[in-house]
Amino acid sequence: MSINRRNFIMATGIAAAASSAPGMLRAQTGSARVVVVGGGFGGATAAKYLKHWGGNKVEVTLIDPKTRHTSCVMSNLVLNNELALNDLRFGYGDLTSKYGVQIIKDTVSRIDPGGRVLTLKNQAPVNYDMLVLAAGISFKKPKGWNARKNPHAWIAGNQTNLLKKQLQAMPAGGTFVMTIPRSPYRCPPGPYERACLVADMVKSNGGGRVVILDANDDIQAEKETFSRAYSQLYGNIVEYYPGAETGFVDSNAGVVETSLGDFAGDVINIIPTQRAGGLVRKAGLTDGGLWAPVDVTTYESSLAGYEDIHIIGDAQGSGQPKSAHMANAQAKICADAILRKVASQPTDHPERLQNITTNSACYSPITRNTASWLTAVFQYDIDSNAMALAHIAEAGEWTRDNYSEMFDWANNLFGDTWG
Ligand SMILES: Cc1cc2nc3c(=O)[nH]c(=O)nc-3n(C[C@H](O)[C@H](O)[C@H](O)COP(=O)(O)OP(=O)(O)OC[C@H]3O[C@@H](n4cnc5c(N)ncnc54)[C@H](O)[C@@H]3O)c2cc1C
């Protein structure tokens, strides 16, 4: 479970990683079969806390096609060889042995909300009383794009290793081109952080160019910090182009066509427009949009006809940042709400509503041994029936201490999710 390189120390406890649940369940009556789809940050946390808090009142099954989840968090450090992908892989053994979560290794291909049944790719259908969907994101692919030539590396795994290999093979003086989609996308500071790390590699390799083609009008997170890093640390390397909407990608020629013109690169990293995964969209849970609307006090779908279907993590569309830390926090609100329903308790008790908070945290490596950070706290606002930003803070500088704390923070989050 723990990452064994550099100063990774397996930290116990959840203080840095988790927002608190709105209240502990005291289940009196009822039982339910809860099925969780997706064993990433949202799904694994939900499955764990449903059993941890609900005990025998719930039967919890987690379905994921893989035996281990590969974390996107910290995966930019695979690119510069500070970590290996294996350091970021987490299995589901503890969820079963410590909490009694049942695991099915398969892909859910269809949801029947009326019949409350899931069709699996390889195995028999699975019935549920309550469903938690935490199946992450999918991409809107630009025309011409071939991800095997121009990796996204925005879902960690083979794509991350492919981008790493391409960066290692990039000639001195070469050009790295990265596209950033319009917000909202997974991990707001992530692309800017990646640009810093690649610029750091390019700098150590005798120079070159890092071209950032941002579809947004400005840097989306930690603007001051990244702007300063680009000018002070990587002045001759990073070129930042706001308002550069990606059009056709000529993967054979290595050229990205944008609203600002064409850009050629030796290594091209396409981070495409994002939306909820296909399972959630095909079930009609996004109502034709990119993300699934939810009631933020329970994470149940806010659309009619989808009772007892909850969507957490990146796929939901509540306006909160799409981060692993946030998915972990939402999972606890969702687990608490489901357990209250099982116990025939209301989920809209004023005391519970007042205590619904979530938070997000992202550490961003700026060089191979320094980092900055950003955190945001959201509080439920009864008038707007939405999560409102209550507090935001950022490091404002990149330091070695932040870099070291980043590993403690990540290990807390990993431990609270899969441990
Ligand atoms: C480079 C990078 C850096 C990041 N850094 C940070 C950071 O510092 N801090 C932070 O908080 N966040 C960070 N993030 C964001 C974070 O990784 C995501 O927000 C988080 O993974 C979302 O969790 P999720 O549970 O919604 O989806 P995921 O973690 O993507 O999990 C989805 C799971 O669903 C499974 N699945 C998909 N479809 C199906 C199906 N049909 N049937 C069954 N299972 C299915 C997948 O196999 C997967 O295991 C970063 C992201 C990137 C790309």
Side-chain angles (χ1 to χ4, degrees):
M1 169 64 63
S2 101
I3 296 173
N4 291 319
R5 298 186 63 187
R6 304 293 185 271
N7 55 351
F8 259 53
I9 300 160
M10 184 62 199
T12 53
I14 60 170
S19 75
S20 56
M24 284 300 292
L25 175 90
R26 282 173 200 84
Q28 303 297 325
T29 57
S31 66
R33 179 164 202 200
V34 187
V35 176
V36 180
V37 180
F41 286 93
T45 307
K48 168 178 165 174
Y49 279 90
L50 278 161
K51 282 302 285 178
H52 187 42
W53 291 334
N56 293 332
K57 300 291 178 192
V58 278
E59 187 191 317
V60 177
T61 303
L62 174 71
I63 308 177
D64 196 291
K66 304 209 170 110
T67 48
R68 292 187 301 168
H69 180 81
T70 306
S71 164
C72 283
V73 173
M74 307 290 268
S75 66
N76 278 335
L77 290 177
V78 173
L79 303 177
N80 67 355
N81 226 11
E82 288 295 305
L83 289 174
L85 220 46
N86 259 341
D87 296 327
L88 298 175
R89 291 199 163 116
F90 301 93
Y92 305 119
D94 281 356
L95 297 185
T96 303
S97 62
K98 290 189 189 168
Y99 306 101
V101 175
Q102 296 167 35
I103 308 293
I104 296 179
K105 181 179 178 299
D106 212 329
T107 301
V108 177
S109 47
R110 193 171 160 267
I111 303 166
D112 171 3
R116 296 189 182 227
V117 59
L118 303 176
T119 306
L120 306 194
K121 195 171 164 196
N122 299 311
Q123 298 171 61
V126 171
N127 297 301
Y128 64 85
D129 297 316
M130 295 180 186
L131 181 62
V132 180
L133 297 172
I137 57 164
S138 61
F139 300 121
K140 276 183 105 169
K141 297 178 183 167
K143 285 206 173 102
W145 177 50
N146 179 345
R148 285 187 298 273
K149 291 190 172 160
N150 305 141
H152 54 77
W154 218 244
I155 295 174
N158 294 339
Q159 280 275 305
T160 316
N161 272 340
L162 177 60
L163 183 57
K164 172 187 167 174
K165 272 189 204 145
Q166 291 187 352
L167 285 168
Q168 282 173 343
M170 190 163 87
T175 299
F176 171 76
V177 173
M178 179 178 67
T179 68
I180 304 178
R182 277 186 187 276
S183 284
Y185 57 84
R186 164 174 282 186
C187 193
Y192 308 102
E193 148 195 331
R194 178 175 286 176
C196 282
L197 286 177
V198 174
D200 187 49
M201 293 162 75
V202 163
K203 196 173 173 179
S204 329
N205 201 24
R209 294 169 68 210
V210 169
V211 176
I212 308 170
L213 303 173
D214 194 342
N216 301 289
D217 292 337
D218 212 338
I219 293 175
Q220 295 298 291
E222 294 181 78
K223 183 183 163 187
E224 299 303 320
T225 303
F226 286 119
S227 303
R228 217 152 28 84
Y230 294 161
S231 61
Q232 286 180 11
L233 296 175
Y234 307 120
N236 298 322
I237 295 171
V238 170
E239 297 166 31
Y240 176 69
Y241 295 94
E245 196 89 53
T246 302
F248 186 81
V249 177
D250 190 339
S251 285
N252 291 324
V255 175
V256 184
E257 295 178 12
T258 76
S259 48
L260 300 183
D262 296 357
F263 292 83
D266 299 289
V267 176
I268 296 179
N269 175 204
I270 300 290
I271 306 176
T273 301
Q274 291 161 35
R275 55 187 176 178
L279 179 70
V280 168
R281 282 185 292 112
K282 281 178 203 153
L285 284 156
T286 59
D287 202 18
L290 297 180
W291 311 105
V294 291
D295 171 350
V296 290
T297 67
T298 60
Y299 288 89
E300 189 173 14
S301 170
S302 51
L303 302 177
Y306 295 98
E307 287 69 33
D308 294 321
I309 299 184
H310 302 248
I311 307 105
I312 56 173
D314 288 356
Q316 56 71 45
S318 63
Q320 299 169 94
K322 299 193 182 299
S323 79
H325 200 115
M326 177 58 78
N328 172 283
Q330 292 171 354
K332 291 170 189 168
I333 310 286
C334 174
D336 174 77
I338 287 175
L339 292 171
R340 282 171 193 268
K341 273 205 261 180
V342 169
S344 304
Q345 293 174 357
T347 56
D348 59 354
H349 191 280
E351 206 180 317
R352 177 176 188 269
L353 297 183
Q354 273 166 22
N355 286 315
I356 291 182
T357 60
T358 56
N359 58 329
S360 181
C362 286
Y363 275 85
S364 294
I366 302 291
T367 67
R368 62 187 54 241
N369 54 21
T370 64
S372 64
W373 53 259
L374 168 69
T375 182
V377 178
F378 292 79
Q379 171 81 48
Y380 178 65
D381 175 47
I382 202 159
D383 294 331
S384 59
N385 188 26
M387 298 302 287
L389 182 63
H391 180 68
I392 188 160
E394 56 181 85
E397 56 184 356
W398 51 91
T399 67
R400 284 174 184 256
D401 280 352
N402 289 341
Y403 189 86
S404 165
E405 283 164 17
M406 172 175 72
F407 286 79
D408 295 339
W409 163 80
N411 272 321
N412 277 336
L413 181 60
F414 298 152
D416 190 44
T417 302
W418 293 284

